[in-house]
Amino acid sequence: MTQTAASDSQLARWQRFRENRNAALAEEHGWLTLTSFQWLEPTPSPVELVPGLWSTSEETGVEAAVLTARAEEGLVFDEEGTPVDGTFSAHLSEDESLNWVRYGTIVVELAMRGGRYAIRTRDSASPTRTEFHGVPTFPYAPEWVVEARWEPYPEPRAVPISTANPLVDGVHLSAGEVVFSRHGHEYRLQAEQGRLGGLTITFHDETNGKTTDDWRKVETPRPRPDGTVVLDFNRAINYPSAFTPYGTCPMPVRGNSLDLAVEAGERTPEAE
């Protein structure tokens, strides 16, 4: 295969990646539709944007979220489509979410974050979604496709981190380090590893706050048997918190900061 053909092939794959990424963001109740983040309290109380009385309860010995509403108020269960008429509860574990009920164009997501129940409203009519025309990106840059080395830890390490919401603490399950060289300097970035072996790396770089959001992430396939992995920064993407103030997205672990301007991948949405 010639170099030109290889470059054309890389560009075509990246363009397909971009099309899929923009389509996923624009889904009916995806990340562009968040319109609120509201903590639930022990006392049944109204919330913004949707009817009903919302609260938490420990009556059964396990903390649960509780919703009370009348059928005429217009809430329906998301999966069944049946009216919410009476008092209902749901239980989640930490970091779990549930699209619980609907109200017109709004889906109410129940979430457990930092040991507390919260709801997020997802409105398919949100201007952030209806006026979305794709995330701005840097031009495709072959030089930011980097050969790296995967160095797994003997056991994953739970590292406390902050998140986009100052009231929510997070944990990064560091499975090892991705190591690469740039301009003669070695860089090490801690990564989480998914069930299929792929890696997720959340990082800072010198474009943050200028042309990119405060941090981004890049994912890789499973490392090869020899431990090498391709780190393609052209596929660096924003977390939902770049598009909405209602995200609880994880910040990078300490040390995942590059003294490099990674001019590849997604830019901040305002940079369009």
Side-chain angles (χ1 to χ4, degrees):
M1 182 179 294
T2 66
Q3 183 62 46
T4 300
S7 296
D8 289 345
S9 177
Q10 281 183 319
L11 183 58
R13 288 195 298 270
W14 180 71
Q15 289 172 334
R16 288 194 297 271
F17 170 79
R18 293 304 322 154
E19 291 168 0
N20 292 336
R21 163 70 170 161
N22 287 328
L25 281 172
E27 288 180 350
E28 184 180 10
H29 290 103
W31 290 115
L32 299 182
T33 66
L34 295 182
T35 51
S36 75
F37 180 99
Q38 304 174 68
W39 296 109
L40 301 187
E41 302 295 342
T43 302
S45 307
V47 297
E48 297 177 1
L49 303 178
V50 293
L53 296 177
W54 301 75
S55 62
T56 61
S57 172
E58 291 188 7
E59 290 183 1
T60 61
V62 178
E63 186 173 20
V66 180
L67 167 61
T68 300
R70 303 183 307 275
E72 56 267 29
E73 292 181 278
L75 284 170
V76 299
F77 288 106
D78 182 55
E79 288 192 5
E80 300 90 343
T82 55
V84 179
D85 192 13
T87 297
F88 300 86
S89 63
H91 173 263
L92 298 178
S93 299
E94 183 64 29
D95 289 332
E96 286 187 334
S97 294
L98 168 70
N99 286 346
W100 197 9
V101 297
R102 287 179 181 252
Y103 179 67
T105 60
I106 298 173
V107 162
V108 181
E109 172 199 359
L110 179 67
M112 170 67 86
R113 299 292 184 270
R116 299 176 63 186
Y117 280 103
I119 61 166
R120 287 194 287 209
T121 50
R122 294 174 176 256
D123 189 349
S124 62
S126 167
T128 306
R129 174 179 182 257
T130 59
E131 299 174 10
F132 176 67
H133 301 292
V135 187
T137 67
F138 292 99
Y140 182 80
E143 65 271 21
W144 281 109
V145 181
V146 178
E147 285 283 338
R149 183 176 72 256
W150 171 236
E151 295 186 357
Y153 297 144
E155 296 290 339
R157 304 172 183 175
V159 182
I161 57 171
S162 299
T163 73
N165 186 321
L167 299 179
V168 177
D169 293 329
V171 174
H172 184 278
L173 197 61
S174 295
E177 298 176 3
V178 174
V179 185
F180 68 97
S181 295
R182 189 82 174 172
H183 307 311
H185 181 78
E186 182 180 86
Y187 293 93
R188 292 177 170 269
L189 297 173
Q190 294 183 49
E192 292 189 304
Q193 189 164 32
R195 283 180 291 181
L196 298 179
L199 307 176
T200 300
I201 302 154
T202 304
F203 67 97
H204 292 294
D205 73 273
E206 292 190 344
T207 66
N208 296 163
K210 301 170 186 175
T211 54
T212 66
D213 195 46
D214 292 340
W215 65 90
R216 294 180 289 170
K217 71 174 178 179
V218 63
E219 297 178 343
T220 79
R222 175 194 295 270
R224 302 179 183 117
D226 65 358
T228 58
V229 63
V230 175
L231 189 57
D232 187 352
F233 285 101
N234 292 286
R235 299 193 177 209
I237 63 173
N238 296 321
Y239 273 98
S241 53
F243 306 98
T244 171
Y246 306 116
T248 57
C249 306
M251 295 178 67
V253 295
R254 186 183 300 274
N256 273 25
S257 296
L258 301 172
D259 58 354
L260 299 167
V262 181
E263 294 181 325
E266 291 186 352
R267 296 186 290 135
T268 184
E270 291 76 22
E272 194 168 20

